[in-house]
Amino acid sequence: MKSSRRKALPDDPALLKKMVMELQEQSAAKEAELRLLREENRFLRFGKFGPKADKLTDEQLGLFEGELECPCEEKPEEEHKPRKPRSKPTRPFSDKLPREERVHDIPEADKVCACGAEMSEISRESAERLEVIPRQFKVIVDVRPKYTCKACEGVEDGDAQTVKIAPPP
């Protein structure tokens, strides 16, 4: 086959130069298209296998529609936005659910201050959680009273606790 191609080539140097130029233009166009396809492939792999928070934008997808210029200088990895820490969603439970209040108190011996006076309750902390019983729902309200000594307010003994509360369940 090579010999048949050689025979088909013209002997005119100007015509040969024109054919070489056309082949170079075709080669450059194919190289640009190949670069574009490689870049598109990299973007698509990044979208599929990369972090889920980093999705391709419409602007990035628009780079591949009908254009032969490859934005190789731009690196999408450098455009990451810092992630915000996820906070737990706080959804209040329905008021229609029955509630059961459970008080988690400290022992009676701990309700006596280091000075000897009885501590008095100053506030309560509560947290709701959902308990699922088959075909029955109810909200458990855990209440933990806080105690402090009004007689000394903990100023006499630096090591003694001024406020006491039961540990969370």
Side-chain angles (χ1 to χ4, degrees), residues 132-148:
V132 180
I133 301 170
R135 296 188 176 231
Q136 183 181 14
F137 293 95
K138 67 178 175 180
V139 177
I140 306 297
V141 181
D142 294 312
V143 179
R144 300 182 306 144
K146 289 184 181 181
Y147 294 93
T148 188

Side-chain angles (χ1 to χ4, degrees), residues 94-100 136-140:
S94 172
D95 293 335
K96 297 176 184 176
L97 291 172
R99 283 174 163 61
E100 176 184 322
Q136 183 181 14
F137 293 95
K138 67 178 175 180
V139 177
I140 306 297

Side-chain angles (χ1 to χ4, degrees), residues 55-161:
K55 298 290 183 189
L56 291 177
T57 64
D58 292 335
E59 180 181 327
Q60 289 171 330
L61 288 174
L63 294 174
F64 305 112
E65 294 179 11
E67 295 182 16
L68 290 179
E69 291 299 320
C70 176
C72 297
E73 294 81 27
E74 298 177 20
K75 294 186 179 179
E77 291 85 12
E78 296 175 4
E79 297 176 8
H80 291 306
K81 296 178 183 175
R83 290 187 179 182
K84 296 179 182 176
R86 293 183 181 177
S87 60
K88 292 184 179 179
T90 55
R91 297 182 187 117
F93 297 112
S94 172
D95 293 335
K96 297 176 184 176
L97 291 172
R99 283 174 163 61
E100 176 184 322
E101 190 171 291
R102 296 178 184 172
V103 179
H104 305 277
D105 207 351
I106 59 177
E108 292 295 324
D110 288 346
K111 292 181 185 179
V112 177
C113 185
C115 70
E118 187 176 332
M119 298 178 87
S120 57
E121 185 178 328
I122 55 172
S123 67
R124 289 181 172 223
E125 287 186 7
S126 64
E128 293 185 339
R129 56 192 168 105
L130 188 64
E131 182 178 72
V132 180
I133 301 170
R135 296 188 176 231
Q136 183 181 14
F137 293 95
K138 67 178 175 180
V139 177
I140 306 297
V141 181
D142 294 312
V143 179
R144 300 182 306 144
K146 289 184 181 181
Y147 294 93
T148 188
C149 178
K150 290 188 178 184
C152 72
E153 295 185 7
V155 293
E156 293 174 2
D157 187 7
D159 295 332
Q161 288 182 324

